Amino acid sequence: MPRPGFVLEVDRSTPPILTWHGEGFRLERLPAERSRVIYAPEPVAALDDPDQAVQDALLHPLGDSPPLPDLLRPGMRLTIAFDDISLPLPPMQKPDNRQRVIEAVLEMAAAAGVDDVVLICALALHRRMTEAELRHAVGDRVYDSFAPHGLLLQHDAEDPDGLVHLGQTDKGEDVEINKRAAESDLIVYVNINLVAMDGGHKSVATGLASYRSLRHHHNVKTMRHSRSFMDQEHSELHSSNWRMGRLIAAAGVKVFQIETTLNNDTFPKQMAFLQKREWEWSGRDRATYLATSKSLSRTPPKLARSIFQSIKAPHAMTGVYAGEVEAVHAATTAAVYEQQLVSVEGQTDVAIFGLPHVCPYNVNSIMNPILVMCMGLGYLFNLYRGKPIVRQGGVAILSHPTPWAFHPVHHPSYIDFFEEVLSETTDPIEIEKTYEERFATDEWYRHLYRTSHAYHGVHPFYMWYWGAHALEHLGDVIIVGGDPAAVRRLGFSPATTLTDALEMASDTVGRHPTISHFHCPPIMLADVS
Amino acid sequence: MAGVPRLPGGAPPEKRLPVSMERVRTGTAPALRAARRLLKPPPSPFPYTSPTWPDSVPREPAERDLGVDYDTDWARRYPARVARLLLTEVVATPAMAALADPQVAGLDRIAHLDGPVVFAANHASHIDTPLLLSVLPEPWRHRTVVAGAADYFFDTKLKAAAFALSINAIPIERLRVSRTSANRAAGLLQDGWSLLIFPEGGRSPDGWGQPHKAGPAWMAVRTGRPIVPIHIEGTRNILPRHSGRIRPGTTHISFGRPIRPVEGDDPREVAARLEAAISALADEHTTDWWTARKRAAAGTSPELTGPGGAGAWRRTWALGERGRRSRRPAGGRWPKL
Amino acid sequence: MRALKVERSLARFGAARVASGWRPGAGGKVGPLRLAEMDLPDLPGPDWVRLRPRLSGICGSDLATVDGRSSQWFEPIVTFPFVPGHEIVADTEDGRRVVVEPVLGCVVRGIDPPCPACAAGHAHRCERLTGGHLSPGLQTGFCAEVGGGWSAALVAHPAQLHDVPDDWSDEAAVLVEPTACGVHGALAGPPGDDQVAVVIGAGTLGLTVIAALSRLRPDITRIIAVAKHPVQKEMATALGATTIAAPGELRRAVRRATGSWILDSGQLTGGAPLVIDCVGSADSLADALAVAAPGATIVMVGMPGGVHVDLTPLWQREIRLAGAYAYGPEPLAGGRHSFAVATDLVADAGLERLLTITYPLDRHAEAIAHAATAGRRGAVKVAFDLRSEKRR
């Protein structure tokens, strides 16, 4: 029986706490009597026979949807859309959930005699996936069946001939999605719901949308009113997507939604100590910690990066739900909450977030300073329900090396955003007003997004907006162990050690502040009362 | 060394692991006897040799300890297992990698299985068995017995012992209907041993598959264990039937989605599903997975047994490249002037 | 009188070269420059006048000489030992305050008829720099007979003198000569519409070019300046640069401004139609070639010396590489002379602020070191103050 999440009150006998630091980790001692550590629940049990579970879900769908085989008929146009490289994190060991589900769907399509099938990677404005990444996601069999015939596509949000405008919501939001998907008799969307934000109407309305459509919810105003975007009930991001999703349905686009959940088993057996509570470390765990941290400190950053990026998580499928979008998503969200919710009492003055090596946008890539901001203030900060774990005007302390380094292929517009935009201002509103459009319409970024493996020109802006709620909420942000020049460019304060950072934080929140250490990964969702 | 009392002509008592101490002793006997025979001095006249049997006296039925009755328990005890592990890892696997360059696909389909399973593959060559044993993943790699034809591999004590030791073979009756050997195999499955079996009952004579026998399906239904269909392509080019010459080549081994029979399934129906699954794997290897699935769903997968009722040349012709073993002879250059 | 003198000493040039490679400006200590007692220079001709310098700036070409890094090209067109200093504001003996146009062309040399260039008013392109009644020397400050600004006195031809308005400070006046160079460079590029100009380097020359571009070239709407040091960034922005880029960020900045593409090698597919290189190093020229649009003009205002650079883009993209030396009539300014234009510009743009600090001759080593590391040490123009020098 996996244990639920846990909040540890730090006392003098508490061992130092593992704190992630990019491609590495440190043990940090927290001040006694006023600190707490928030631990994730342990991984819930995996499905015994995931393939059978997928079958069952497709045959007994939720909501008012008929079973999948009843929706399939010869001569129909079927589009299978699936989540891109940003899910799950780290990438899961083979076989990926997407492969299992897509194969099951295709088996049924084959049985029904459906010939016109296209697979679309619903990457929105993310970078196109490489062949190896696609093979990992959908499996070699599906890849070899569809890719050579040009039937395995990656969504192109900038293809003038590949999009269709379905109308405007009652709030005036344009809904423009992938044409092939919209004109299909059925879209089957295959999700991996790593966090509570994923899935639902967001799958199609965001994953297959164009910039014109996305800008209605990917903006500062929406993000500031999504508290948090992990909590659909209080997320303007989701309200907007739900309006769009309903419009898509009303426009006659049929979506059969399949959502899968994972447990939070994040690290392979050898690295199990990374998801254990420190006082439960065995001799072997301590030896592994010492060996890895000592050798990592002598490893060149490039090599360390490639070692960490090669980690494949032993995530196991814990649930699969299929059918009508909203019914499915309700079930999925409940399952995600069951794995991830941790009850936390009240807020503290300071929150410490150790940033790991990977965020949704640097799989097989570099976590550049903008992604550091997004990971810390966008994702980890927002992993709450109710209230943030840090109080209004409090301080967030991030731990990450924050190198002044960018992946030139994946993140070209990030470099310009960092060099040009952030050297002028870090205010999200100002950034949105002055610079967004120019980056979004830049021909070169468009070219790289469409033909290479680059994020869309506007993507760094979204990263910045992702953190807009936190920027507004927090009194100060301190990055421990980062490149001082890069940290200052982000508008944050650099500190060498956690002790220094806590000292600096006391300028904002007073002496002897209360502290929360968010012990993530594994991913969890703090239910703050 | 005392033999087990047997009823003449009757079936041996059902065998299961763990075995009694008495069997431990008798179990080593065939090996020892085989070894002794190897070391036997050249024939010398009676009484140094056994007496000849007068033709006029009717011969009593010989003690049946060969063929389907050969007792292989000894080959699943630790000394034999260690020896076989060494043989597999040090000799067979490198040799197969060098000779057959195995390209394995579909292991992800069986990744979540545990416990014993029935591996059922098409059969074209003697190297099918060592090849499969060299690519089987854990946890089955060293816990698999191989069904060998009782009449082919277990006809002499030396052969029987050699195959039992090296590939963990057990004798299976293929020529006539007998539940004896099938029962024993089912017992091994229940004891945690997986079974590698060729449902065609023998190697392909001409490159095309042969009709499946229902034995493997029957065992799976009886034990409730899944059957993993396996398709092997390319071994015929390396060592076909009726040939002693090995030509290195490339082989493709595809593992299929396990078939899980449930209590009460008709073994013949399960066998048909298995045959279809292997045909679909073959189809998938030559085309792609989606095409294969569509044809499998429509029941139009190309049959592995080839064009029926056709002349021999047409069957060979229809094999196409797969049947072409001979390479263009070397030295076919322009004459030097 | 006291003067700073450059002598022809191979050993000292060598020492300066070595030392300056280690620390720029070190040539001021170990190099060919010496503070010496000299005789007042004789008047070479009847109309010549004596000048008493008030301020005299330290120019990049002076630093190159002192640090032993000047090109061999200058060897035949200078005469040792010379007194450097060609950015001069001085008093004449009859009480006028003048700035000196240092070029020593046919008129100054008493050559009549003058060479075709001089006849057309382009004294800086004079073909007779080694002729006439003067010894060889391209400018005042590189010719033994006429002296130079880094001394208590020098001689000049009346044609070289431009009056300074009475209400001007000396500090403003000393910037007229360098500003004239900047004006000449800024006006060297062909006119166009709504153009992007790139200025590489933000020392005195770069900043005067920026000032000239932003005030004299209405066709240039965006100026991207490469600046390394905070004071340079600040000044460049104040003088009219629309975008400031750090040296490593230039190519991306130009790409953003011009909407072109950038290739893996870092070269742009398009770029800016006008690039003004105020540094003159191999790196700056390579940058200029990488960001110049097809058919663009690269103007070299900074003194280059020997550089190693791949000229393939010059050929493949039909880029024109133009030098801009000194001053002359400016077609883009209605034919007015650079000096006249510069005089207006100094007042307009308040270029007086570019003069950061002055030194007496005694502290010449310090002055040279400061000038050589000006940007890093928060300075732009460094000059010698000669107002308290005694003249005997």
Side-chain angles (χ1 to χ4, degrees):
Chain A
M1 185 65 194
R3 295 180 292 180
F6 178 64
V7 179
L8 169 77
E9 298 295 336
V10 175
D11 58 24
R12 286 185 202 291
S13 59
T14 303
I17 303 300
L18 183 95
T19 308
W20 274 88
H21 189 72
E23 286 82 16
F25 20 78
R26 300 165 167 184
L27 284 177
E28 301 280 11
R29 203 169 267 287
L30 299 175
E33 315 304 339
R34 56 189 170 91
S35 310
R36 62 185 187 188
V37 185
I38 306 174
Y39 288 95
E42 290 181 340
V44 303
L47 292 172
D48 281 341
D49 187 347
D51 288 326
Q52 192 56 45
V54 172
Q55 286 290 325
D56 293 346
L58 299 182
L59 294 175
H60 307 104
L62 305 174
D64 58 0
S65 170
L68 182 60
D70 296 356
L71 294 167
L72 303 171
R73 59 186 158 71
M76 75 182 293
R77 279 159 77 90
L78 172 65
T79 297
I80 301 175
F82 56 94
D83 283 338
D84 75 336
I85 187 78
S86 59
L87 288 164
L89 296 176
M92 68 190 292
Q93 291 169 2
K94 274 186 165 185
D96 194 284
N97 281 6
R98 283 163 287 208
Q99 176 188 341
R100 281 192 201 283
V101 176
I102 291 172
E103 286 189 4
V105 171
L106 287 172
E107 290 275 5
M108 290 183 180
V114 182
D115 281 315
D116 186 358
V117 181
V118 167
L119 275 73
I120 301 180
C121 174
L123 48 75
L125 302 183
H126 296 172
R127 69 176 174 88
R128 284 151 38 85
M129 291 165 74
T130 62
E131 178 179 336
E133 289 162 348
L134 282 169
R135 282 182 180 279
H136 187 87
V138 303
D140 289 332
R141 291 188 285 276
V142 174
Y143 187 90
D144 287 330
S145 297
F146 289 86
H149 309 294
L151 297 174
L152 176 55
L153 306 175
Q154 310 211 42
H155 172 62
D156 182 351
E158 290 288 353
D159 179 3
D161 304 324
L163 297 165
V164 55
H165 190 258
L166 296 177
Q168 284 191 334
T169 65
D170 49 6
K171 294 265 166 89
E173 297 147 318
D174 293 283
V175 179
E176 188 176 45
I177 66 165
N178 187 290
K179 190 172 180 180
R180 158 75 204 195
E183 292 178 354
S184 294
D185 297 307
L186 182 67
I187 302 175
V188 174
Y189 196 105
V190 182
N191 276 277
I192 296 180
N193 298 62
L194 180 71
V195 290
M197 172 185 70
D198 304 327
H201 283 303
K202 192 170 165 287
S203 304
V204 171
T206 296
L208 292 173
S210 70
Y211 169 63
R212 184 179 169 194
S213 195
L214 286 166
R215 57 204 294 242
H216 292 289
H217 45 74
H218 278 55
N219 57 45
V220 180
K221 189 160 167 268
T222 306
M223 296 318 297
R224 283 190 171 163
H225 289 89
S226 299
R227 305 191 163 193
S228 73
F229 56 70
M230 294 293 174
D231 179 5
Q232 298 149 31
E233 308 299 316
H234 303 99
S235 163
E236 186 52 36
L237 174 70
H238 286 81
S239 310
S240 174
N241 269 293
W242 256 241
R243 286 192 292 273
M244 292 185 170
R246 285 173 185 158
L247 186 132
I248 290 170
V253 179
K254 258 205 200 144
V255 179
F256 186 86
Q257 180 92 350
I258 306 171
E259 303 196 347
T260 58
T261 53
L262 298 170
N263 62 15
N264 62 0
D265 197 0
T266 312
F267 298 101
K269 282 254 168 340
Q270 310 85 287
M271 307 286 273
F273 70 92
L274 291 171
Q275 50 195 33
K276 269 179 155 180
R277 296 164 191 182
E278 286 77 2
W279 61 94
E280 292 174 353
W281 283 15
S282 63
R284 188 198 158 115
D285 289 329
R286 282 178 286 127
T288 324
Y289 168 81
L290 285 172
T292 35
S293 61
K294 295 275 183 241
S295 51
L296 278 172
S297 65
R298 284 166 183 75
T299 310
K302 233 178 154 173
L303 179 62
R305 199 175 285 139
S306 63
I307 293 172
F308 272 82
Q309 289 291 350
S310 69
I311 293 179
K312 296 277 183 284
H315 289 309
M317 195 192 276
T318 56
V320 49
Y321 309 89
E324 184 272 324
V325 180
E326 293 182 22
V328 165
H329 194 58
T332 317
T333 308
V336 170
Y337 282 166
E338 191 188 325
Q339 168 68 85
Q340 292 182 1
L341 271 188
V342 185
S343 318
V344 176
E345 232 172 84
Q347 298 174 307
T348 53
D349 301 318
V350 174
I352 301 171
F353 301 104
L355 271 53
H357 61 285
V358 70
C359 83
Y361 315 108
N362 76 316
V363 178
N364 302 329
S365 185
I366 297 173
M367 177 109 98
N368 62 49
I370 297 160
L371 292 176
V372 168
M373 183 276 193
C374 176
M375 182 63 181
L377 302 188
Y379 281 91
L380 296 186
F381 176 88
N382 278 298
L383 281 168
Y384 75 82
R385 198 169 74 159
K387 297 183 286 185
I389 59 171
V390 55
R391 70 168 166 85
Q392 175 87 37
V395 174
I397 299 177
L398 314 179
S399 162
H400 191 275
T402 324
W404 188 306
F406 295 83
H407 196 293
V409 174
H410 295 162
H411 301 125
S413 62
Y414 281 64
I415 309 177
D416 288 330
F417 184 87
F418 197 67
E419 283 179 0
E420 184 184 10
V421 179
L422 290 186
S423 62
E424 295 293 326
T425 174
T426 57
D427 172 27
I429 296 273
E430 177 71 23
I431 287 174
E432 182 174 43
K433 197 175 70 191
T434 317
Y435 298 97
E436 181 185 309
E437 194 179 343
R438 175 152 63 82
F439 274 68
T441 56
D442 189 300
E443 265 312 313
W444 182 57
Y445 300 148
R446 191 176 280 162
H447 170 76
L448 294 178
Y449 161 78
R450 295 190 63 186
T451 61
S452 173
H453 299 282
Y455 282 86
H456 192 274
V458 82
H459 203 260
F461 290 77
Y462 292 170
M463 298 299 94
W464 207 256
Y465 306 163
W466 240 225
H469 163 37
L471 284 177
E472 197 182 39
H473 180 86
L474 294 168
D476 196 10
V477 179
I478 301 169
I479 299 188
V480 177
D483 172 350
V487 172
R488 287 206 185 87
R489 177 67 66 92
L490 292 171
F492 305 149
S493 318
T496 319
T497 63
L498 183 64
T499 317
D500 289 354
L502 288 171
E503 199 56 42
M504 289 159 68
S506 63
D507 293 345
T508 311
V509 292
R511 309 295 301 171
H512 304 294
T514 52
I515 301 164
S516 294
H517 183 291
F518 197 63
H519 204 292
C520 171
I523 293 175
M524 60 186 143
L525 187 60
D527 194 6
V528 184
S529 57
Chain B
M1 196 144 298
V4 188
R6 287 173 198 267
L7 299 170
E14 198 177 348
K15 285 180 185 167
R16 296 265 176 95
L17 284 175
V19 291
S20 70
M21 280 314 291
E22 194 182 15
R23 293 237 182 87
V24 171
R25 271 183 272 115
T26 57
T28 51
L32 283 179
R33 267 179 262 152
R36 222 174 277 146
R37 187 177 295 180
L38 263 182
L39 300 172
K40 202 166 66 172
S44 51
F46 183 78
Y48 299 102
T49 60
S50 51
T52 52
W53 196 275
D55 286 346
S56 54
V57 180
R59 206 184 268 261
E60 282 196 12
E63 194 186 316
R64 296 181 56 189
D65 57 356
L66 275 176
V68 76
D69 294 319
Y70 183 77
D71 184 351
T72 57
D73 283 356
W74 65 272
R76 287 183 293 281
R77 290 202 191 88
Y78 274 100
R81 285 171 69 176
V82 169
R84 187 160 56 244
L85 185 141
L86 286 174
L87 204 60
T88 311
E89 300 301 340
V90 180
V91 181
T93 305
M96 285 301 125
L99 286 178
D101 184 22
Q103 311 287 315
V104 184
L107 283 180
D108 54 317
R109 285 162 164 160
I110 56 170
H112 64 281
L113 284 182
D114 46 65
V117 299
V118 178
F119 293 105
N122 61 329
H123 199 17
S125 161
H126 274 320
I127 72 161
D128 287 348
T129 304
L131 182 66
L132 279 176
L133 291 176
S134 78
V135 302
L136 271 192
E138 294 293 0
W140 304 287
R141 192 171 175 84
H142 302 295
R143 290 281 290 175
T144 298
V145 297
V146 178
D151 57 294
Y152 189 97
F153 294 101
F154 293 88
D155 58 342
T156 70
K157 293 205 169 173
L158 182 60
K159 262 170 99 177
F163 286 112
L165 177 70
S166 62
I167 60 172
N168 202 1
I170 56 166
I172 294 284
E173 188 64 74
R174 62 170 174 175
L175 299 179
R176 58 198 170 90
V177 181
S178 146
R179 293 246 159 134
T180 315
S181 54
N183 271 330
R184 185 169 38 206
L188 285 172
L189 272 170
Q190 279 162 350
D191 287 339
W193 288 89
S194 295
L195 175 70
L196 169 59
I197 190 165
F198 299 102
E200 292 167 50
R203 289 165 296 152
S204 156
D206 59 0
W208 289 104
Q210 306 173 78
H212 279 208
K213 298 177 189 300
W218 181 85
M219 289 173 216
V221 171
R222 192 178 142 190
T223 57
R225 298 309 309 168
I227 311 181
V228 175
I230 301 174
H231 176 253
I232 309 174
E233 167 73 46
T235 49
R236 190 180 126 84
N237 291 356
I238 294 173
L239 177 67
R241 196 170 181 175
H242 308 307
S243 167
R245 249 182 99 187
I246 293 181
R247 290 173 192 267
T250 300
T251 53
H252 297 269
I253 299 138
S254 319
F255 289 82
R257 195 179 283 278
I259 296 168
R260 295 165 182 276
V262 291
E263 189 92 38
D265 272 355
D266 177 3
R268 275 166 299 183
E269 186 266 334
V270 175
R273 268 160 66 193
L274 173 62
E275 194 166 353
I278 295 178
S279 303
L281 283 175
D283 191 13
E284 183 181 325
H285 173 66
T286 45
T287 59
D288 60 61
W289 176 79
W290 173 235
T291 310
R293 294 322 300 159
K294 282 196 288 186
R295 291 210 281 223
T300 54
S301 299
E303 293 198 15
L304 280 182
T305 47
W313 76 268
R314 271 185 53 203
R315 288 172 64 81
T316 307
W317 184 268
L319 267 181
E321 283 298 316
R322 282 183 292 157
R324 186 165 299 150
R325 181 168 194 241
S326 56
R327 290 180 198 145
R328 203 157 284 152
R333 301 201 181 114
W334 292 100
K336 275 183 189 154
L337 295 176
Chain C
M1 67 155 194
R2 295 201 307 167
L4 287 169
K5 181 170 73 166
V6 171
E7 282 171 341
R8 180 188 221 120
S9 155
L10 226 53
R12 283 188 185 163
F13 271 107
R17 201 179 164 88
V18 172
S20 68
W22 180 55
R23 214 174 62 195
K29 252 189 196 129
V30 302
L33 191 68
R34 283 282 172 279
L35 181 58
E37 231 9 87
M38 291 176 78
D39 296 331
L40 285 177
D42 293 327
L43 293 174
D47 356 327
W48 286 66
V49 295
R50 281 216 164 72
L51 298 181
R52 185 192 157 93
R54 298 175 67 88
L55 291 178
S56 181
I58 302 174
C59 168
S61 56
D62 297 331
L63 288 174
T65 308
V66 172
D67 274 349
R69 300 187 161 271
S70 277
S71 163
Q72 292 289 315
W73 172 263
F74 292 120
E75 185 74 27
I77 50 174
V78 300
T79 319
F80 289 97
F82 59 80
V83 178
H86 54 270
E87 301 174 357
I88 308 164
V89 51
D91 290 326
T92 60
E93 285 180 321
D94 52 6
R96 287 163 64 200
R97 192 163 57 135
V98 293
V99 291
V100 176
E101 181 189 336
V103 169
L104 301 175
C106 288
V107 177
V108 179
R109 290 177 177 274
I111 298 170
D112 196 26
C115 71
C118 286
H122 297 288
H124 60 299
R125 299 182 189 165
C126 177
E127 298 171 12
R128 306 274 186 271
L129 289 177
T130 54
H133 57 67
L134 288 178
S135 43
L138 70 165
Q139 286 190 351
T140 300
F142 295 98
C143 176
E145 282 165 273
V146 301
W150 301 358
S151 67
L154 73 157
V155 295
H157 191 271
Q160 291 183 280
L161 304 183
H162 299 260
D163 283 309
V164 178
D166 289 342
D167 55 343
W168 278 38
S169 63
D170 295 335
E171 284 76 11
V174 77
L175 277 152
V176 169
E177 193 277 347
T179 304
C181 291
V183 165
H184 191 62
L187 299 182
D193 279 320
D194 189 18
Q195 294 194 99
V196 176
V198 174
V199 181
I200 302 176
T204 312
L205 209 42
L207 292 171
T208 56
V209 166
I210 292 168
L213 285 173
S214 69
R215 282 165 184 78
L216 306 174
R217 293 285 301 260
D219 60 322
I220 287 171
T221 48
R222 279 166 298 165
I223 302 170
I224 298 171
V226 179
K228 216 187 213 163
H229 305 290
V231 63
Q232 298 177 336
K233 293 180 183 174
E234 216 171 280
M235 290 273 193
T237 312
L239 292 174
T242 45
T243 307
I244 309 293
E249 300 178 358
L250 172 66
R251 298 176 187 203
R252 295 192 147 266
V254 174
R255 191 208 68 75
R256 287 194 293 267
T258 58
S260 65
W261 296 8
I262 192 166
L263 306 180
D264 291 346
S265 54
Q267 71 211 47
L268 303 192
T269 56
L274 176 61
V275 182
I276 301 179
D277 180 0
C278 305
V279 178
S281 68
D283 288 345
S284 71
L285 193 52
D287 267 350
L289 285 164
V291 302
T297 304
I298 297 175
V299 180
M300 302 225 48
V301 185
M303 189 179 81
V307 294
H308 186 269
V309 67
D310 180 4
L311 286 179
T312 313
L314 183 91
W315 166 78
Q316 190 258 326
R317 306 172 73 171
E318 295 198 326
I319 292 167
R320 297 196 310 124
L321 185 60
Y325 161 68
Y327 3 77
E330 300 292 354
L332 288 186
R336 293 177 71 204
H337 193 271
S338 317
F339 254 76
V341 179
T343 308
D344 293 347
L345 186 64
V346 169
D348 259 15
L351 294 182
E352 185 181 344
R353 59 185 140 167
L354 298 188
L355 180 65
T356 312
I357 188 169
T358 60
Y359 284 87
L361 286 185
D362 303 309
R363 293 172 60 195
H364 64 273
E366 261 174 88
I368 298 288
H370 197 166
T373 56
R376 184 149 31 103
R377 293 169 61 180
V380 182
K381 175 58 80 184
V382 178
F384 287 107
D385 187 347
L386 306 144
R387 287 174 288 208
S388 50
E389 262 318 295
K390 294 205 171 58
R391 187 174 130 203
R392 270 164 287 140

